[in-house]
Amino acid sequence: SILFTMLTPIFGALIIPKFTKLHDKRDELFKHLLLILVFCTSIGLFLVLSIGLASDIIIYILGKPYHGLNYPLLLSSISAAIAFLYSITYSLCVNRGWVLHAVWNISISLISIVIGTFVFDLSSLNGILYFGIFVNSFSLLRQLLFLVKKINSTNISTEHA
């Protein structure tokens, strides 16, 4: 989780300005979006797999109170990876001036939270972590759909430019 928190501003400083400066050419925006998503997803997968493979070592370093929490550690890293991707897509939108209306944003978030409370056992650690993964995934999906919609609504496609 800390790794993803540290990566977010780094990627924000390196990736977001380039995307923001792109012309309103649909094909160019989609191409860069795809590259950014593949790159960030690859980083996220690498870190999640690394944490999964090294969970015994990480748990050992954390100490005896964390013994047996390998699976929750993995779930926590998955949730953090999804939140990382969400923050990147959110920044891509906001820095181009594309902001989802607050009513939609709040409504969709509340719907995901309500659904999650009925689907997952919130009395267990794993249930809470699954809930976090669900809500973060819902937020990422919402932001990606909005980003794709905004790119699709740009006036210029490469074919006509």
Side-chain angles (χ1 to χ4, degrees):
S1 183
I2 293 171
L3 290 172
F4 291 107
T5 302
M6 291 176 2
L7 284 177
T8 301
I10 293 169
F11 282 106
L14 297 175
I15 294 172
I16 307 301
K18 173 133 176 87
F19 188 80
T20 303
K21 293 177 186 175
L22 292 173
H23 297 286
D24 284 340
K25 294 182 180 177
R26 202 172 310 145
D27 296 340
E28 187 178 342
L29 289 169
F30 272 125
K31 177 184 155 197
H32 280 81
L33 173 62
L34 184 62
L35 289 172
I36 290 167
L37 290 176
V38 166
F39 181 70
C40 291
T41 303
S42 300
I43 296 291
L45 284 173
F46 173 76
L47 289 174
V48 168
L49 288 172
S50 298
I51 290 168
L53 293 172
S55 65
D56 286 334
I57 296 167
I58 295 168
I59 295 295
Y60 176 77
I61 291 169
L62 291 173
K64 285 188 181 191
Y66 298 94
H67 180 72
L69 294 177
N70 299 56
Y71 189 65
L73 176 65
L74 180 63
L75 292 178
S76 178
S77 68
I78 292 169
S79 183
I82 296 167
F84 166 69
L85 288 171
Y86 166 76
S87 70
I88 294 297
T89 56
Y90 177 79
S91 295
L92 291 173
C93 286
V94 168
N95 283 290
R96 285 196 70 89
W98 299 336
V99 181
L100 185 60
H101 194 280
V103 171
W104 284 106
N105 203 0
I106 293 168
S107 299
I108 294 169
S109 294
L110 284 175
I111 289 169
S112 71
I113 291 169
V114 169
I115 291 170
T117 57
F118 288 108
V119 172
F120 301 103
D121 175 18
L122 300 180
S123 65
S124 72
L125 176 60
N126 286 351
I128 291 169
L129 293 171
Y130 285 130
F131 174 77
I133 291 169
F134 176 77
V135 171
N136 285 342
S137 297
F138 219 87
S139 296
L140 174 61
L141 180 62
R142 176 195 68 224
Q143 201 61 46
L144 279 172
L145 290 174
F146 178 69
L147 181 56
V148 168
K149 177 185 175 278
K150 293 306 282 186
I151 291 174
N152 264 334
S153 69
T154 56
N155 295 331
I156 305 170
S157 70
T158 307
E159 302 142 6
H160 298 97

